[in-house]
Amino acid sequence: MIPRYARPDMVAIWSPESKFKIWYEIEAHACDAMADLGVIPRENADAVWKAKDVEFDVARIDEIEAVTKHDVIAFLTHLAEHVGSEEARFVHQGMTSSDVLDTCLNVQLVRAADLLLVGMDKVLAALKKRAFEHKDTVRVGRSHGIHAEPTTMGLTFARFYAEMDRNKNRLEKARWEVATGAISGAVGTFANIDPAVEEHVCEKLGLRPEPISTQVIPRDRHAMFFATLGVIASSIENIAVEIRHMQRTEVLEGAEFFSMGQKGSSAMPHKKNPVLTENLTGLARLVRMTVIPAMENVALWHERDISHSSVERGIGPDATVTLDFALHRLAGVIDKMLIFPDNMLDNMNKFPGLVMSQRVLLALTQAGVSREDAYAMVQRNALKVWEERLDFRELLLADEAVVDALGVEAINEKFDMGYHTKHVDTIFKRVFGDS
């Protein structure tokens, strides 16, 4: 990933240095377990730990791989250069490359998930704060982009909170599902290595033993992990699109914070563009781009092939680094977002009283008017509001059929804004509990 959309902590998980450190830990813990079983001498297992503080030389490993054409063998050769050829002769005994590669990948994905969960907590905290801040800030709800009925800005934030809370739960499950390791040897039969070695290595690395591997950990686990990242990215875009719509000049109910010295356009000095949320929409596309390849990786030949390998070298860092950056950017956008309550009311009143049409319709049916007649009575007045920008309540009060059915007092009562916000507290309690 390019540095522009990357945070150092997540990038570090995928660095060659971090990868080789995990490879080393897998091999060293495996040697310990084999020594405990009496398969290899204890002194050889202890000797491997001489390299525990070594900064493995990436350039040297690449140099060896240029000859061996095999990354794991290149690493093992370099490890022997530090430990000693004789002392390292039992390293990797009974293991296959996938034992190292797959277990390492899952360690990286678990660590990445932990960072992503931190980012999600930041987004959730920002959404919750703004939801309570604007719990009673009335704005018009829109369906099909058209004014519908009143809602509140707090409910908008609350529904995004609930969506992200579901995503957090999904990510926790995906983290659990991918947190397995395999040290099962060629074709996964444990023919040349005791299952106890796998159990020991997994325990040390915070994983669970894969119940049954072939020569690889089943890729349905990874498909679910990346699919979850794709859903989270889509939710980020969902929030970003709402903010972008709110910042439109003719709407302007909310906007990204515009910092001192910031410029919106190289040509038009007046511009304030929603560049951060537009960026989030783009980043969401990049994350989703990794989902289909992850699903296609599930189907491998027999006990293993490496058609998945090149894919995962790309999508592992790409998806997690991008989503990590996006989550932190989104948290900042929400936290600093500007809200314009007066504009919300102005927008609602561009078609005076029109958002109360359903209340009048329901009242007419309750008063004994058929639904068809009631709809026609309301619509004929509503269309005049659309076409002539007249006041809906005044039109109803001038409509004899409506007055005869409801009376003046009942018509006026239907324009109480509190009617639409009376259950906000109930919804908030469902979303946030008693907090």
Side-chain angles (χ1 to χ4, degrees):
M1 291 304 301
I2 61 175
R4 186 181 185 93
Y5 304 128
R7 298 176 63 254
D9 288 350
M10 186 64 85
V11 171
I13 290 174
W14 299 101
S15 71
E17 293 82 2
S18 294
K19 178 183 70 175
F20 291 134
K21 187 68 173 178
I22 297 168
W23 287 13
Y24 165 73
E25 291 172 356
I26 292 168
E27 298 284 5
H29 287 308
C31 285
D32 271 348
M34 285 187 278
D36 290 343
L37 293 169
V39 175
I40 69 172
R42 167 51 62 188
E43 55 268 28
N44 288 79
D46 291 343
V48 176
W49 287 106
K50 291 192 301 184
K52 66 183 178 66
D53 296 320
V54 166
E55 291 286 337
F56 294 106
D57 188 336
V58 176
R60 173 60 180 151
I61 296 171
D62 289 344
E63 179 185 357
I64 299 169
E65 187 181 351
V67 177
T68 64
K69 304 297 191 292
H70 196 291
D71 53 356
V72 174
I73 292 175
F75 169 75
L76 294 173
T77 302
H78 181 55
L79 178 60
E81 292 175 341
H82 288 284
V83 175
S85 182
E86 175 61 25
E87 290 88 341
R89 67 192 178 97
F90 294 109
V91 173
H92 203 69
Q93 181 148 318
M95 296 169 60
T96 186
S97 298
S98 293
D99 291 335
V100 178
L101 297 171
D102 282 13
T103 302
C104 174
L105 174 61
N106 283 7
V107 169
Q108 290 173 304
L109 291 176
V110 166
R111 292 177 182 176
D114 288 339
L115 285 185
L116 292 173
L117 287 166
V118 171
M120 297 203 73
D121 282 339
K122 288 189 68 174
V123 171
L124 286 167
L127 287 168
K128 183 176 181 178
K129 185 186 83 170
R130 302 314 299 266
F132 277 92
E133 180 183 348
H134 291 285
K135 183 174 73 169
D136 299 315
T137 302
V138 176
R139 67 186 293 238
V140 68
R142 297 170 172 89
S143 56
H144 307 276
I146 307 300
H147 284 197
E149 292 191 349
T151 182
T152 77
M153 191 66 221
L155 288 176
T156 300
F157 284 123
R159 68 180 168 90
F160 290 142
Y161 177 95
E163 183 173 345
M164 276 300 178
D165 193 46
R166 292 191 295 274
N167 282 329
K168 180 182 177 182
N169 182 257
R170 291 173 182 130
L171 182 56
E172 289 170 339
K173 291 179 179 177
R175 179 198 183 280
W176 180 89
E177 187 165 340
V178 84
T180 66
I183 311 292
S184 54
V187 303
T189 61
F190 296 100
N192 297 300
I193 193 165
D194 195 292
V197 177
E198 180 182 79
E199 293 172 8
H200 178 80
V201 172
C202 287
E203 180 185 359
K204 291 298 183 180
L205 294 175
L207 305 176
R208 305 181 315 283
E210 180 62 46
I212 177 169
S213 54
T214 53
Q215 197 162 308
V216 294
I217 291 173
R219 257 43 193 184
D220 61 287
R221 294 185 181 275
H222 304 78
M224 178 54 69
F225 185 89
F226 286 98
T228 299
L229 301 193
V231 173
I232 296 169
S234 294
S235 293
I236 289 174
E237 183 179 18
N238 189 26
I239 299 171
V241 166
E242 178 68 22
I243 296 171
R244 289 167 60 192
H245 279 309
M246 282 195 283
Q247 192 164 334
R248 292 168 62 183
T249 306
E250 62 271 26
V251 179
L252 202 56
E253 295 180 355
E256 295 175 12
F257 177 76
F258 199 80
S259 61
M260 184 66 68
Q262 184 175 344
K263 304 293 188 291
S265 166
S266 63
M268 297 167 283
H270 72 276
K271 295 296 292 296
K272 288 186 177 184
N273 301 331
V275 292
L276 298 179
T277 44
E278 288 174 339
N279 170 250
L280 288 171
T281 292
L283 295 179
R285 294 170 185 166
L286 289 175
V287 176
R288 286 195 299 267
M289 186 174 67
T290 68
V291 176
I292 296 301
M295 291 184 174
E296 292 176 337
N297 280 351
V298 174
L300 300 177
W301 282 26
H302 305 301
E303 278 62 53
R304 93 153 299 192
D305 67 55
I306 62 166
S307 60
H308 62 92
S309 176
S310 57
V311 177
E312 289 167 353
R313 290 174 192 265
I315 67 173
D318 283 359
T320 56
V321 170
T322 304
L323 187 61
D324 175 67
F325 180 87
L327 286 167
H328 285 267
R329 168 155 285 184
L330 178 62
V333 167
I334 295 165
D335 191 54
K336 294 182 177 181
M337 184 178 170
L338 304 176
I339 305 296
F340 304 113
D342 289 343
N343 288 353
M344 293 178 182
L345 291 178
D346 287 345
N347 286 337
M348 192 180 307
N349 291 323
K350 284 181 179 177
F351 300 92
L354 196 60
V355 293
M356 302 300 184
S357 72
Q358 183 178 191
R359 280 208 74 191
V360 179
L361 170 66
L362 297 177
L364 286 168
T365 61
Q366 290 289 322
V369 181
S370 72
R371 182 174 178 84
E372 292 74 17
D373 289 343
Y375 199 101
M377 292 162 68
V378 174
Q379 189 179 44
R380 69 182 177 226
N381 289 288
L383 291 177
K384 292 179 181 178
V385 180
W386 273 110
E387 295 161 4
E388 302 175 44
R389 295 293 179 94
L390 300 174
D391 186 285
F392 186 53
R393 180 179 355 197
E394 292 179 1
L395 289 170
L396 293 173
L397 290 171
D399 189 317
E400 292 184 6
V402 176
V403 174
D404 287 345
L406 296 179
V408 172
E409 185 177 347
I411 292 173
N412 286 326
E413 188 268 333
K414 300 301 176 287
F415 289 81
D416 173 24
M417 190 65 69
Y419 174 86
H420 290 279
T421 60
K422 60 181 179 292
H423 292 303
V424 169
D425 286 337
T426 299
I427 299 170
F428 264 59
K429 189 170 183 179
R430 288 180 173 184
V431 174
F432 300 107
D434 294 321
S435 60

